Every structure is written in C-alpha cells, then in structure tokens.
Amino acid sequence: MQRVELISVDGIRLEAALHPAVSSPCRGVVLLVHGVTVDMDEGGGMFVRLAERLVAAGFDVARFSFRGHGGSGGTQRGVTIAGECLDLQAAVTLVAERFTGPVSVVAASFGAVSTALSLPWLEDRLHRLVLWNPVLDLRHTFLAPELPWGVENFGPEAQERLRDRGFLVVDGAFELGRVLFCEFDRYRPSEQFLASSVPALIVHGDKDSAVSYPIAADAAGRREKVLLHTISGSDHGFDSREREDEAISVTTDWLVEQSAVMA
C-alpha cells in the first residue's frame, strides 16, 4: 500500500491510499468511496479488508477520505454534497493518472450520494458500480427521517439545534452543518442512478435502521442491469464480522465475474 495526497479542485487536501494488484493479468481498478462520519477505511476497516481481497483477485485499488473526514483537510461542519462531488472527481483523476484498465466504484452509504450525482459525467468511464446500503433518498433519510437512526440524529430536537447553532452532532461525535441540510432538499441521487445504464450491484441489509432497504430494493427493481444482494437480518454497515465478510465476498466475486465478461 502507498499513501498519497491529492488536491480537490477547490484546494482541499485529501488523504488517499493506493493498493497495486498482486496478481496478473490486472482486471482493472476499483475506487472505494466511504460514507459520512467515517474515513477511507470505512468504519471498522471494511474497505481495508475489501482492498486486500480485490488486489489478491487482480485489481488495483484506490481509497480516499472525503474533506472533513479522517486525515483530509476541511472541517466536519464544512462537509457538503457539492464538496464531496469535487473530492470524488479528484479521486477519479488520480485513478486515471496512476492506473490503467476499466474503472469500477464501490460506494458505501452516503458515498452513494456523490457517486450517483456524478454519474452524468462519470458513466462513460465507469465499468461497474457497487453500492453498499446506499443513501438514494436524502429526504427520507435526513429531512423527514423514518428509521430509528435518522429520528435519533435528525428529528425535531436535532433540527431545532441546527437552526439555533448552525450545526448538529451525529452519533455524539461528528458535526454536520446547515449548508449540507439545505442541499438535502435539492439533490435527488436516485434519479441519476435510475437514469444510468452502468451495470450495478446493490448490497443491503434488510434490517437496516439507518438507510431504507425498501427504497434500495425498489430502485434495483426499476432499472435494468442491477443485481440486489440482500444480507438477511443485517443492520446498517453490516453488523457482524460474518455479514461484513459476506458483503466483501459478494462484491469481490461479482467484480471478478464482470471483469471476465468484459474480457
């Protein structure tokens, strides 16, 4: 693994890690896009373990931390969807400069927002797309939350604190600012996903208490070239080592199969 830095187009420094494939021939490169409040390791290190599986299967892998996350520049309260789209653009540019071959993306949770919104320009260079527990509906996740995590973190009391202080604290640790919440009412990631024709895999737990499984399942059913893999009984982020391993294995196997299709 090689640690590198990249600069978003508005000057924000981002931490990143590159994992060259350890077998040949190379099947292409996979860019890993993490969720909100975590970093390029994705929670307890799922992206590190996924990267290890992918490089062993013949893929180059790149990971990065969005602004305001991990060791990247920026602030938590300064996190915005528009800013994350700029960061993703910088990461795609890095991948194109450092690696050759078809590019695939694995985006987890909130990472699906910037990824889906970038599909209009990204689609032509994207080979395959994998979404883990994807946020496809911002309103029902954050503005009018219907699930326990959203109600706890973004319900009426939290919204009042947001109005009074200009930010609220997610899970008691991560500060999200007012501008991000203004964006929640304007962006429609599901529309961009449904308009795309890139073959996709959605991996989602059917007991997710943070991001709606039915919304993801509905999106999978409304678009061609989408495979839905349900992790039975799993909460958000895959809530056991066994379920994490299932998500990693399903993702790796599918990307290997799809690379064979392209070959």
Side-chain angles (χ1 to χ4, degrees):
M1 184 188 74
Q2 178 187 7
R3 290 192 175 272
V4 298
E5 286 188 357
L6 57 150
I7 306 296
S8 197
V9 296
D10 58 348
I12 301 294
R13 177 190 56 80
L14 308 174
E15 67 170 352
L18 305 178
H19 304 255
V22 296
S23 64
S24 59
C26 182
R27 296 180 180 272
V29 55
V30 183
L31 176 62
L32 309 185
V33 183
H34 69 80
V36 72
T37 78
V38 292
D39 61 14
M40 64 179 182
D41 292 349
E42 181 57 31
M46 276 195 76
F47 273 1
V48 177
R49 290 162 50 215
L50 175 61
E52 291 171 349
R53 286 287 301 275
L54 289 171
V55 298
F59 293 96
D60 296 314
V61 177
R63 302 181 287 128
F64 72 101
S65 292
F66 282 115
R67 63 187 62 205
H69 294 77
S72 291
T75 64
Q76 293 179 359
R77 296 188 204 179
V79 170
T80 63
I81 294 172
E84 292 204 347
C85 288
L86 294 179
D87 297 343
L88 178 60
Q89 178 178 282
V92 171
T93 299
L94 173 71
V95 164
E97 292 173 348
R98 296 297 188 98
F99 299 112
T100 59
V103 177
S104 298
V105 168
V106 177
S109 191
F110 196 73
V113 176
S114 57
T115 301
L117 293 173
S118 298
L119 285 173
W121 65 264
L122 181 59
E123 179 160 356
D124 288 344
R125 66 189 77 184
L126 189 60
H127 176 52
R128 295 293 184 266
L129 174 63
V130 181
L131 301 177
W132 286 359
N133 325 295
V135 176
L136 295 175
D137 188 314
L138 293 165
R139 170 164 289 279
H140 287 94
T141 306
F142 300 105
L143 295 180
E146 301 175 336
L147 296 174
W149 178 80
V151 171
E152 179 181 354
N153 285 284
F154 310 110
E157 292 183 2
Q159 293 287 342
E160 184 174 346
R161 290 193 294 272
L162 176 67
R163 288 191 294 270
D164 292 343
R165 299 188 297 177
F167 71 96
L168 53 74
V169 182
V170 179
D171 295 333
F174 199 96
E175 299 177 349
L176 293 180
R178 181 180 289 128
V179 173
L180 178 64
F181 280 79
C182 291
E183 291 179 310
F184 288 159
D185 200 35
R186 290 167 170 78
Y187 288 113
R188 304 288 186 270
S190 62
E191 293 180 3
Q192 301 298 339
F193 176 72
L194 292 173
S196 171
S197 60
V198 175
L201 167 69
I202 297 177
V203 184
H204 206 133
D206 61 0
K207 300 300 181 183
D208 197 319
S209 62
V211 177
S212 173
Y213 170 79
I215 288 175
D218 178 70
R222 292 170 60 192
R223 217 204 80 177
E224 295 183 351
K225 301 179 182 178
V226 179
L227 174 66
L228 173 66
H229 180 88
T230 301
I231 299 192
S232 180
S234 181
D235 202 343
H236 192 68
F238 316 118
D239 53 3
S240 69
R241 183 61 178 249
E242 180 181 6
R243 288 165 174 156
E244 290 179 354
D245 288 345
E246 180 179 346
I248 290 170
S249 294
V250 166
T251 299
T252 303
D253 292 346
W254 187 77
L255 288 172
V256 167
E257 292 169 1
Q258 295 297 306
S259 68
V261 168
M262 183 173 188

